[in-house]
Amino acid sequence: MAKGKVLVVGGTGYIGRRLVEASLRQGHETFVLQRPEICFDIDKIQTLLALKKKGARVVEGSFSDHRSLVQAVKMADVVICPMSGLHFRTHNLLLQLKLVEAIKEAGNIKRFLPSEFGMDLARMKDHLKPGNVTVHEKMEVRNAIEDANIPFTYISANCLAGYFVGSLSQLGTLVPPKDNLTIYGDGNVKVVYVDDDDVATYTIKTIDDPRTLNKTLYIRPPENILSQRELIGIWEKLIGKELNKKSISGQELLDMKGDVDYVTQVIICRVYHIFIDGCLTNFKVAEDEEASKLYPEVNYKRMDEFLKIYIPN
């Protein structure tokens, strides 16, 4: 069966560039949308040029130019939009509504994967304020997709390792603490950690797979379902040192919201649901909805291997 042509909108971003590379590796003709606003961002331009060298095709388009979006969409069979929903990076999730309109008009898209790549939104209706703004916006995009009868796949990638594992899930850092760390609750709630490149690999495998059409795909590699204490234990074994641990209760975590900025409040809400509520693992997933079961050929990265790169020289 011929490989579908893929358009990545947001292909120079953290997950986006990984999706472009995974798409190329898996043999898809791959397009990256070049939006006017990145032309003054040297890092994004260099990323775009690097992807072009690897075989990606660059197509110009803008959310402020509907016709250009339609033309870009018509070049592909599949559209993936990994736009950031993280408030400390960029937060433009509702721009996807314009992309939905372009896909609807073009009429040729066989699959749309919107910006999800985190928790399963359908299970997050009680998400705490102000963290619930991301949930509401992503659900608005979902509703628009389904109202337009656009074929879709939603990717629930859980905790991206680059954000949650390198830091041992600490607030305010993306690298492991040297001496002291915080444990949320008793630290025994199970969490799903996924290597960022594996997220891209699994995502691209879904796009021509009829088993994932109009479904949510959960990326839950079984050996990466770990508690925070287990994750910390892996790190301590790697460095041969035990760190000083301080536990805070769920209420103490929420009380911190009164003393921090808006962005940190959003992050605290997310941490609460993951490490206190256990929102990533407090429900069952069928085998035909879980990535490592659907694609056993993928040798996913375990978290002990992921953490090795952080070991001090």
Side-chain angles (χ1 to χ4, degrees), residues 12-169:
T12 59
Y14 181 70
I15 289 297
R17 65 179 183 269
R18 289 173 165 83
L19 288 164
V20 174
E21 291 171 349
S23 180
L24 292 169
R25 284 196 306 270
Q26 293 182 39
H28 296 274
E29 186 174 358
T30 306
F31 301 86
V32 182
L33 189 73
Q34 177 181 327
R35 292 179 285 155
E37 54 265 37
I38 78 164
C39 294
F40 297 98
D41 187 324
I42 187 63
D43 290 328
K44 288 188 178 294
I45 288 296
Q46 291 300 310
T47 298
L48 187 66
L49 294 174
L51 293 171
K52 186 177 178 183
K53 285 182 181 179
K54 292 180 179 181
R57 296 179 59 184
V58 176
V59 54
E60 294 185 356
S62 172
F63 284 109
S64 61
D65 182 353
H66 175 72
R67 183 52 45 197
S68 71
L69 279 184
V70 173
Q71 291 172 344
V73 165
K74 284 184 176 181
M75 300 178 74
D77 304 303
V78 176
V79 175
I80 308 176
C81 186
M83 295 180 67
S84 175
L86 299 173
H87 287 77
F88 62 86
R89 289 173 65 87
T90 57
H91 190 87
N92 300 307
L93 293 172
L94 292 183
L95 283 177
Q96 292 179 101
L97 296 175
K98 296 184 177 183
L99 187 55
V100 169
E101 288 301 312
I103 292 171
K104 183 178 178 180
E105 180 174 330
N108 63 298
I109 293 303
K110 299 175 183 177
R111 194 86 60 108
F112 178 38
L113 285 70
S115 178
E116 301 246 348
F117 304 102
M119 307 171 182
D120 178 12
L121 304 178
R123 301 179 185 275
M124 298 305 299
K125 295 177 182 178
D126 297 324
H127 200 295
L128 295 169
K129 296 180 179 180
N132 60 349
V133 64
T134 298
V135 175
H136 291 163
E137 290 181 359
K138 288 186 175 183
M139 285 303 298
E140 186 174 345
V141 174
R142 278 195 185 192
N143 292 336
I145 292 168
E146 294 172 30
D147 288 346
N149 293 315
I150 296 170
F152 65 84
T153 298
Y154 303 138
I155 304 295
S156 177
N158 297 294
C159 287
L160 298 177
Y163 286 104
F164 285 91
V165 176
S167 65
L168 304 183
S169 304

Side-chain angles (χ1 to χ4, degrees), residues 244-300:
N244 298 317
K245 304 173 186 67
K246 173 188 174 183
S247 295
I248 62 171
S249 68
Q251 188 57 54
E252 288 173 323
L253 181 63
L254 293 180
D255 289 344
M256 291 169 57
K257 291 197 299 176
D259 301 319
V260 296
D261 59 76
Y262 177 83
V263 172
T264 306
Q265 291 179 46
V266 171
I267 296 169
I268 287 172
C269 292
R270 198 159 300 172
V271 167
Y272 179 88
H273 285 294
I274 293 169
F275 294 95
I276 303 296
D277 278 351
C279 70
L280 303 183
T281 56
N282 61 6
F283 60 95
K284 292 184 178 180
V285 174
E287 287 198 1
D288 65 349
E289 297 175 332
E290 200 284 305
S292 68
K293 298 291 193 305
L294 284 176
Y295 311 111
E297 68 277 10
V298 176
N299 182 23
Y300 64 84

